Amino acid sequence: KKKKKEKGMGMGRSHHLFVASFLACLCLLVRVEATPATPLRSFEVDDTFASFSIDSSQLVGSPFWGVTKEFDFLRPDFQALAKELSPALLRVGGTDGDNIYYNVSDSILPSAGSLPSGYYYALQQEQMEDLSSFLHTVGWELVFGINAGLGPRGGSKGGDWTADNAISFFKAASSMGLPVFGYELGNEPNLFFLNVHGLYVTPEKLYGEVKKMAGSAKQYCSECKILGPDCAYQFPIVHEMEPVTEDYVKMDGVDPVIDIFNFHYYPLLSDLSPLHQIDPFFLATKERMKDPSVLDMQTKMTNKVMGYDNGRLDSGVKPLWLGETSSVAFGGQAGLSDSFYSSRWYLDAMGRGARDGLKGFVRQCLGGAVPYTLIDIAENGTLSPRPDYWVALLYKRLVGKRGFDLGTDKDDLLRRYMHCGRGDVEGKLVLFAINLDDQYTGQFFFHLHNTTLTGVINAEVYTLQPHNGDIFSVSVNGEEALFDGKTVPSFSPTSVRVGVTEGIADIEIPAGAIMFVIVDDIAGLCSSQ
């Protein structure tokens, strides 16, 4: 059942209904006759499930989607925003990660212009120290992509990968106390022939090189994880192209070296990509940003990888991460990736990712001047959190590791997920929902499990919407989300009493909105093991 959006609808009289709509979305659409599975299937993600990336290009100051500027990790305002997203990992990787010489430790070059053959940029000791300082300040750990390109192969496309320069990085990381969680070898090896100067490496050869890299890395960081293969699935027509991931899964089953499997996926393409000319359906538009079939593709890609080698990853033998993602590939699409349209994709993608069995979700990109960053840092230095930042902030403050599968609603435009709470709401249930319909209020049932309660329950609600209709800003419970350069706002929930009939709460979510609702765990779902 849906109601058309009312012009000028604010947070007053109708807010109770809005809350009702969210809880409703968490189980069933009112007009849909279905019942959630009992008992609910539970799952658990890593504590750093929602994590973030900085591109290798930003680290060294090489061109990054039209922006050539070294990233400033030491800005106090940037650090303040990042710290609020803890706990998290920072992944540093990208195409130029396979072009970088590590000018550190015992590999320092005699002059800046004397890069060995096959290297195009250099990582300086000072840049590495700034990265380390940032990570220690915000309390994060690092996932770092090691160069697998032409440089470590002596500049030859047919050369074997050597560990010498990588070892210099491992030494420097150890000596400066860089908080490393893990290492990857190469970025999107299935696309080396496009991105790394025509290089082609067979999956078998590359897997052997990962073993070599892992052996060297663990001499300096015995607890560090090895992640891979980091392949790209963001080409909707052909997906992975070269089947590296499937071969990795099979080889790891015989001779294990990978601790965490990962893949990259973007559902849509920006107009910077020539590929949308082949299949224009995947060009990012407002309509496609909320198209259920586009959002659901992530589940199909996840299931595809989970199913490799007779479902070895699906069985939980090794964790699977979405190691790089955003709503739109190729730097994002201006006017969409930097707007509330992306925020609805983002929350849905994290909710479905956890439900589908992913243990990590790395969002590209934490900060910078390109459209798909969470924190806009313009080339003139102006800093401003984008709508996706505020979604990430509330997710990190409220949503815990343990979640529950609520099944699938018949209305594809209404999405809902449920987890146990964290932090101040630990021990409660956190329900979050997305209404992709920009015209109609959505209405749901929320089933309180193991009770036939008739009466009222208390709920605390956060409703996120474009502020005054501006898709580039966000209001939380009617108040514009703003950052003053020093303090990240705390936000206060709206307290609501929700009517319940025989264990079913009737809830509404405003047109186009996102909602987080916190309720008591009446059924003890979060206390049971």
Side-chain angles (χ1 to χ4, degrees):
K1 188 176 182 179
K2 292 187 176 181
K3 300 177 182 179
K4 195 161 186 178
K5 181 178 180 180
E6 298 176 22
K7 291 185 178 180
M9 184 177 287
M11 301 307 298
R13 172 188 64 81
S14 53
H15 186 66
H16 288 58
L17 297 177
F18 295 172
V19 177
S21 114
F22 167 62
L23 285 179
C25 93
L26 292 166
C27 262
L28 293 176
L29 196 64
V30 168
R31 63 181 177 83
V32 176
E33 295 182 3
T35 53
T38 303
L40 290 174
R41 179 183 70 87
S42 65
F43 52 84
E44 191 161 308
V45 298
D46 294 342
D47 200 37
T48 55
F49 172 79
S51 286
F52 311 94
S53 69
I54 287 288
D55 201 88
S56 301
S57 300
Q58 296 174 281
L59 179 63
V60 299
S62 61
F64 180 52
W65 301 117
V67 178
T68 303
K69 187 175 183 180
E70 181 183 334
F71 197 83
D72 183 1
F73 286 100
L74 302 184
R75 290 185 60 147
D77 51 0
F78 176 72
Q79 292 183 352
L81 289 168
K83 192 170 186 177
E84 288 292 323
L85 301 179
S86 299
L89 301 172
L90 182 71
R91 184 241 180 190
V92 175
T95 300
D96 273 345
D98 293 314
N99 291 321
I100 293 174
Y101 181 85
Y102 309 126
N103 196 32
V104 298
S105 188
D106 51 5
S107 292
I108 294 178
L109 299 170
S111 64
S114 58
L115 288 171
S117 176
Y119 293 99
Y120 296 85
Y121 309 103
L123 173 66
Q124 308 298 338
Q125 184 91 13
E126 296 83 0
Q127 294 168 328
M128 199 169 169
E129 289 171 350
D130 286 353
L131 173 62
S132 181
S133 175
F134 166 78
L135 292 167
H136 283 290
T137 298
V138 302
W140 296 6
E141 291 184 302
L142 175 69
V143 174
F144 192 84
I146 294 294
N147 187 347
L150 294 180
R153 303 174 189 278
S156 169
K157 295 178 184 178
D160 294 329
W161 185 84
T162 58
D164 296 351
N165 192 231
I167 289 173
S168 295
F169 183 93
F170 301 147
K171 284 182 178 178
S174 177
S175 64
M176 72 175 59
L178 187 67
V180 180
F181 174 86
Y183 289 107
E184 306 166 336
L185 180 63
N187 179 73
E188 300 180 350
N190 59 317
L191 301 181
F192 275 178
F193 68 98
L194 291 174
N195 294 334
V196 190
H197 315 286
L199 175 65
Y200 175 76
V201 184
T202 66
E204 294 77 14
K205 181 177 181 179
L206 190 61
Y207 190 80
E209 294 169 349
V210 172
K211 288 183 62 179
K212 184 189 297 186
M213 185 272 291
S216 298
K218 288 182 179 288
Q219 291 182 34
Y220 300 91
C221 180
S222 60
E223 300 301 316
C224 284
K225 305 295 184 184
I226 305 301
L227 298 84
D230 236 27
C231 286
Y233 283 73
Q234 60 257 38
F235 296 93
I237 303 169
V238 294
H239 299 155
E240 192 183 13
M241 300 177 73
E242 178 70 25
V244 176
T245 304
E246 184 172 8
D247 289 345
Y248 261 51
V249 174
K250 291 178 179 178
M251 288 185 283
D252 187 79
V254 177
D255 186 11
V257 66
I258 305 293
D259 297 303
I260 297 168
F261 281 88
N262 58 13
F263 70 104
H264 297 180
Y265 175 67
Y266 294 75
L268 294 169
L269 307 173
S270 78
D271 55 15
L272 295 178
S273 165
L275 295 173
H276 75 263
Q277 298 174 5
I278 301 173
D279 190 345
F281 174 80
F282 293 100
L283 176 65
T285 65
K286 290 181 181 178
E287 291 71 26
R288 294 188 186 110
M289 292 284 280
K290 61 181 181 180
D291 185 332
S293 66
V294 171
L295 274 64
D296 293 347
M297 278 296 296
Q298 178 182 302
T299 293
K300 295 179 181 179
M301 292 297 103
T302 301
N303 290 343
K304 182 180 179 70
V305 178
M306 286 279 195
Y308 289 151
D309 197 19
N310 297 316
R312 185 163 174 263
L313 301 184
D314 193 35
S315 66
V317 173
K318 296 285 178 77
L320 177 65
W321 287 9
L322 184 44
E324 179 186 311
T325 189
S326 190
S327 56
V328 184
F330 293 84
Q333 183 65 47
L336 295 175
S337 300
D338 48 0
S339 78
F340 197 73
Y341 285 102
S342 178
S343 303
R344 296 186 302 190
W345 161 83
Y346 186 21
L347 187 59
D348 182 69
M350 287 193 288
R352 74 169 49 249
R355 182 200 65 193
D356 293 343
L358 297 175
K359 302 301 182 185
F361 185 98
V362 181
R363 171 62 194 273
Q364 174 88 345
C365 179
L366 181 60
V370 298
Y372 62 17
T373 61
L374 275 76
I375 302 170
D376 179 29
I377 305 176
E379 291 189 76
N380 65 6
T382 304
L383 179 148
S384 177
R386 286 175 166 154
D388 285 9
Y389 175 84
W390 302 113
V391 169
L393 179 69
L394 284 173
Y395 184 96
K396 297 294 278 188
R397 286 178 176 176
L398 301 174
V399 180
K401 296 190 295 182
R402 191 176 189 191
F404 304 92
D405 185 357
L406 298 175
T408 303
D409 286 329
K410 298 293 180 65
D411 189 324
D412 287 340
L413 295 177
L414 296 166
R415 309 295 176 105
R416 76 287 174 279
Y417 303 95
M418 182 169 74
H419 282 241
C420 297
R422 74 165 8 151
D424 292 341
V425 296
E426 185 175 356
K428 296 190 175 186
L429 289 173
V430 176
L431 312 122
F432 53 98
I434 307 101
N435 186 357
L436 298 172
D437 194 321
D438 290 317
Q439 289 188 301
Y440 292 95
T441 296
Q443 191 170 12
F444 297 85
F445 290 141
F446 169 56
H447 292 245
L448 301 172
H449 289 266
N450 302 327
T451 181
T452 57
L453 171 70
T454 294
V456 295
I457 59 172
N458 295 318
E460 294 185 331
V461 182
Y462 299 88
T463 303
L464 283 71
Q465 297 172 285
H467 183 66
N468 291 335
D470 179 5
I471 61 171
F472 302 106
S473 63
V474 171
S475 68
V476 180
N477 292 342
E479 180 180 351
E480 185 176 9
L482 295 172
F483 175 57
D484 64 6
K486 296 180 180 180
T487 305
V488 180
S490 57
F491 301 121
S492 297
T494 297
S495 296
V496 176
R497 290 173 65 80
V498 177
V500 181
T501 303
E502 296 184 355
I504 300 175
D506 182 7
I507 309 299
E508 288 186 355
I509 179 170
I514 287 171
M515 295 184 76
F516 293 84
V517 174
I518 300 97
V519 296
D520 289 335
D521 181 15
I522 297 173
L525 296 175
C526 296
S527 59
S528 61
Q529 300 297 320

